[in-house]
Every structure is written in C-alpha cells, then in structure tokens.
Amino acid sequence: APIMEHACERTIGETVLECVRSSRRTCPSNANLGIILLLTPLAASARVAGDDIVAMRWETRRRLQRLSVNDAH
C-alpha cells in the first residue's frame, strides 16, 4: 500500500491513522485494524534495515519502544 511505503518517514501513530482512514473508505468496519497494527512497525523498519533480519528486529524494537501517548492521537 502506498501509505506503508512511507511508514519510515512518519510516526507509527500517523501511519496507523492514515491506513485506517484509507481502509474505512472501502470497508466501514475495523476489519483491517489488526493487520495495520502488525504491519506498520514492520514496514517502517524494513526501509531502514533492508535485508538484514537482525537489523530489522532491532529497528522494530527501537520503534516500538519509542511509542508514546502522542501516537494514539
């Protein structure tokens, strides 16, 4: 999805919100929320880590640890 392509440039909260907005245009329920919550930090980390799975793990962990209440707004 185009929104996920730019996940590394935004906060996780901003990316989740944009994905939910996009999803709601075609599906009025939160059916995709679980997928969005799972893939957002992974998509953001993948652009930075590339093919290195260890770097991917650490980058994902770093991004999740930086989550704050601001990501919920």
Side-chain angles (χ1 to χ4, degrees), residues 1 3 6-7 9 12 28 33 43 46 50 52-53 55 58 60 62 68 71:
I3 297 167
H6 300 283
E9 301 162 9
I12 289 177
L33 183 58
D52 184 343
I53 192 70
W58 285 107
T60 302
R62 184 182 72 79
S68 73
D71 287 291

Side-chain angles (χ1 to χ4, degrees), residues 9-73:
E9 301 162 9
R10 301 178 180 156
T11 67
I12 289 177
E14 291 169 334
T15 303
V16 167
L17 180 59
E18 287 303 311
C19 287
V20 167
R21 286 179 175 158
S22 177
S23 176
R24 301 267 338 238
R25 286 193 276 275
T26 58
C27 180
S29 71
N30 67 354
N32 295 317
L33 183 58
I35 295 167
I36 293 168
L37 292 173
L38 172 69
L39 294 182
T40 299
L42 297 175
S45 301
R47 295 285 304 261
V48 174
D51 293 335
D52 184 343
I53 192 70
V54 174
M56 173 83 164
R57 182 182 312 146
W58 285 107
E59 181 63 20
T60 302
R61 182 181 186 155
R62 184 182 72 79
R63 288 179 181 271
L64 290 174
Q65 287 175 334
R66 288 188 354 208
L67 287 173
S68 73
V69 70
N70 293 329
D71 287 291
H73 295 255

